[in-house]
Amino acid sequence: MSVDFDELSLVDLSRHFGRRKVLSHISFSCRAGEIVGLLGPNGAGKSTLLSIVSTLVSPSEGEVRYGGQTARTIGAGLRRRLGLLAHDLHLYPELTARENLTFFGGLYGLDNLPSRVDRAVALAGLTDRADDFVSAFSRGMRQRLALERVLLHEPRLLLLDEPFTGLDDASGRALIGRLRALKATGCIVLIATHDLDLAEDVLDRAVVLQAGKLVALQDGPGTLRERYRVRIHG
C-alpha cells in the first residue's frame, strides 16, 4: 500500500525506562518542506525521540501521528517513507561504496537501482571512490555515503542524529545544500544537532529539549547559539 503524509505530529509523548523518565509530555509538529532542529544537551532525550519517531522504540504515553494516523494504523508500509541516519552509520566496511548502496537499495526493492546508485554516489561526492572499500574512507566520507543510503528510497520524513559529525567545512556546506534541495521536494527533515553555527543556515525553526522536557527558545536578536545558551544556561 502506498503511504504518504504531509505532517508529523508528536502528541503528549512520553518515554520512560523503568523509573527513569527520558521524555515527558512532548508535543510539536513539522510540516512538509520544513527543516526543524532538535536541540538540547547530552542526555536530554533527542536520540530517544528520533528512535520513537522512526518506530524503533514505542512511546510509554502519547503518540506520533504521520498525517493524522499512527504507525499502528498505517502498518509496515510507513517505514518505506522514513529515513533515519543515526550515530551508527550502518555501512559494511568490507564492501565498496557502490556495493553498500546496491545492497540497501535492493532491500527496498527499488527499480532502476544502478542509476539510483550512480546518482547517490555523485551526490555524496564519491564518484571517483565508488569502487573503493568503505574501510578506507574517512569519517566524513562515510557520513556522506550513509546519508545517501537513507535517501535512496526517497523518504517523506528524514531523521538525522548529529549529521555534521566528522564533516569539514566544505562537506558541511554541501550537506546544507543537500538538505535545502530535499526541503524543496517537500521532505520533512528533523535534525538533532549540537552544531548550531552550521544548523542556523538551514533550519526553519528549532525546538529544545532539556531534561526530557520541551522548553521554549526565545525569538529575537542574537544567533541561534547565543539564544540556545541563554535558554540552557540562563
Side-chain angles (χ1 to χ4, degrees), residues 10-27:
L10 282 64
V11 183
D12 202 30
L13 193 73
S14 296
R15 174 68 201 194
H16 48 78
F17 297 95
R19 300 178 63 181
R20 185 169 67 94
K21 205 155 201 178
V22 179
L23 295 170
S24 181
H25 304 290
I26 304 298
S27 296

Side-chain angles (χ1 to χ4, degrees), residues 1-231:
M1 182 180 71
S2 178
V3 175
D4 202 7
F5 52 91
D6 60 8
E7 185 175 25
L8 168 73
S9 298
L10 282 64
V11 183
D12 202 30
L13 193 73
S14 296
R15 174 68 201 194
H16 48 78
F17 297 95
R19 300 178 63 181
R20 185 169 67 94
K21 205 155 201 178
V22 179
L23 295 170
S24 181
H25 304 290
I26 304 298
S27 296
F28 68 89
S29 297
C30 313
R31 294 195 58 80
E34 190 174 29
I35 302 176
V36 177
L38 182 60
L39 313 182
N42 291 333
K46 301 187 299 298
S47 293
T48 298
L49 189 149
L50 292 181
S51 294
I52 292 173
V53 174
S54 66
T55 75
L56 296 178
V57 173
S58 298
S60 301
E61 301 170 25
E63 61 186 16
V64 182
R65 297 175 183 167
Y66 309 83
Q69 299 186 73
T70 65
R72 184 184 298 273
T73 59
I74 294 173
L78 173 63
R79 288 190 174 179
R80 295 185 65 87
R81 305 300 287 142
L82 308 181
L84 171 66
L85 180 59
H87 289 293
D88 188 335
L89 301 181
H90 296 292
L91 296 172
Y92 291 101
E94 69 275 18
L95 299 181
T96 67
R98 190 186 307 279
E99 288 169 342
N100 267 278
L101 293 171
T102 300
F103 171 75
F104 285 105
L107 294 179
Y108 281 100
L110 299 177
D111 57 3
N112 301 318
L113 186 54
S115 62
R116 286 177 184 259
V117 168
D118 286 344
R119 180 174 183 271
V121 167
L123 288 168
L126 294 170
T127 299
D128 293 341
R129 303 291 301 273
D131 296 309
D132 291 352
F133 294 116
V134 168
S135 58
F137 286 6
S138 68
R139 169 70 191 197
M141 294 166 66
R142 295 184 190 192
Q143 189 87 356
R144 301 199 307 271
L145 179 63
L147 175 63
E148 296 307 325
R149 174 184 65 77
V150 303
L151 292 173
L152 268 177
H153 61 294
E154 300 176 351
R156 166 65 78 183
L157 172 61
L158 178 61
L159 306 167
L160 303 176
D161 199 350
E162 299 296 343
F164 297 104
T165 299
L167 301 186
D168 58 22
D169 288 344
S171 295
R173 295 295 169 187
L175 174 55
I176 288 174
R178 188 75 174 98
L179 294 176
R180 285 174 176 159
L182 290 169
K183 170 185 169 71
T185 69
C187 187
I188 305 169
V189 183
L190 183 60
I191 306 175
T193 184
H194 287 105
D195 198 328
L196 305 188
D197 298 323
L198 277 174
E200 186 166 24
D201 287 343
V202 73
L203 297 182
D204 292 305
R205 59 188 174 89
V207 297
V208 180
L209 287 177
Q210 188 171 19
K213 297 181 179 180
L214 201 64
V215 297
L217 182 65
Q218 297 298 319
D219 293 327
T223 66
L224 178 61
R225 180 176 295 279
E226 290 167 344
R227 290 183 288 122
Y228 171 79
R229 185 179 295 120
V230 169
R231 172 68 266 186

